[in-house]
Amino acid sequence: MQNHIDRVLLGRGAISDRVRALGDELARDLTGELVKEGSPADATDRIVFVPVMTGALVFTADLIRHLPLPIAMRLVSVSSYPGAATQSKGATLKSYLSDDLAGRHVVIIDDILDTGETMRMLRGLVEDRRPASVRACVLLKKQLGKPAVAEAEHVGFEIPDEFVVGYGLDYDGHYRNLPDICVLKREAYEG
Ligand code: IMP
Ligand code: MG
């Protein structure tokens, strides 16, 4: 399996620096929201993170440790790349999305924005719950030849259109535990 790795695209040091910066960015924006509505910075029950399992697990674990604000967590599960697929098959919610988002500041966290189908679906479902604000934070965004169908306000890295694994991202359930983000060899998924 490990010999299906082509090369390291983003090393653990670069990832760690960028995740810290994203945390600062988010903290600044969310503090701005709290100030705007007159809530104290230590107000509980104002901010809810919605990480998309399982890809965003590692990223979320690192990111939230750079946030000095009280946050609640509501995990969701989405399926878009069933099994060994490397092309999105459209996103479907595989879990319950909490109904306690009304009036709160919601941050959707995902590992990667590719076609944007996952983000479009989730943003819609979150908006339906009438939150005070919604923003999306993704570690990676693929540079496709065309615009994605939904965007993220916070993006860690723009990457070329290649299939990547590691730091939470998988191929057919493997490689999530690699500390670096690596490009998978095409021969691993092309016949
Ligand atoms: P989208 O719905 O096409 O934007 O795809 C987003 C989802 O597909 C992410 O949540 C990932 O789980 C998965 N995904 C997209 N590209 C990759 C990749 O290169 N490696 C691993 N997973 C990916
Ligand atoms: Mg995913």
Side-chain angles (χ1 to χ4, degrees):
M1 258 286 173
Q2 304 296 333
N3 57 7
H4 284 156
I5 298 302
D6 180 42
R7 64 184 194 280
V8 173
L9 183 68
L10 298 164
R12 60 202 81 178
I15 298 171
S16 155
D17 290 350
R18 190 66 189 120
V19 172
R20 177 182 297 273
L22 280 173
D24 292 345
E25 228 177 273
L26 268 176
R28 200 172 47 236
D29 275 30
L30 291 166
T31 303
E33 297 282 6
L34 297 181
V35 168
K36 225 178 359 177
E37 70 184 17
S39 296
D42 60 351
T44 52
D45 297 331
R46 298 303 308 125
I47 302 167
V48 186
F49 275 33
V50 177
V52 185
M53 292 295 110
T54 306
L57 176 71
V58 179
F59 174 40
T60 304
D62 284 345
L63 181 68
I64 60 174
R65 282 178 283 174
H66 294 299
L67 277 141
L69 302 165
I71 56 173
M73 304 281 288
R74 300 286 183 267
L75 278 56
V76 288
S77 205
V78 174
S79 161
S80 50
Y81 285 41
T86 56
Q87 299 281 305
S88 174
K89 301 281 185 264
T92 26
L93 188 68
K94 293 285 180 196
S95 69
Y96 165 77
L97 173 65
S98 181
D99 58 9
D100 62 357
L101 308 180
R104 303 167 83 183
H105 303 287
V106 177
V107 185
I108 302 169
I109 317 276
D110 206 356
D111 50 359
I112 185 164
L113 191 101
D114 185 7
T115 62
E117 291 293 350
T118 302
M119 201 49 81
R120 176 163 71 178
M121 180 208 50
L122 277 175
R123 289 191 91 113
L125 293 174
V126 169
E127 297 281 5
D128 288 348
R129 285 162 170 72
R130 308 240 161 255
S133 70
V134 186
R135 43 177 54 73
C137 176
V138 296
L139 180 64
L140 309 173
K141 177 170 162 37
K142 271 194 201 172
Q143 292 168 320
L144 309 175
K146 52 180 183 187
V149 299
E151 284 302 333
E153 285 76 1
H154 303 271
V155 175
F157 300 92
E158 300 229 357
I159 64 162
D161 186 11
E162 295 186 275
F163 201 82
V164 291
V165 294
Y167 196 72
L169 293 105
D170 75 306
Y171 169 63
D172 199 13
H174 298 280
Y175 304 111
R176 291 196 200 277
N177 55 318
L178 296 182
D180 307 307
I181 293 174
C182 303
V183 175
L184 198 64
K185 281 184 188 161
R186 286 195 177 269
E187 66 207 51
Y189 53 91
E190 281 174 358

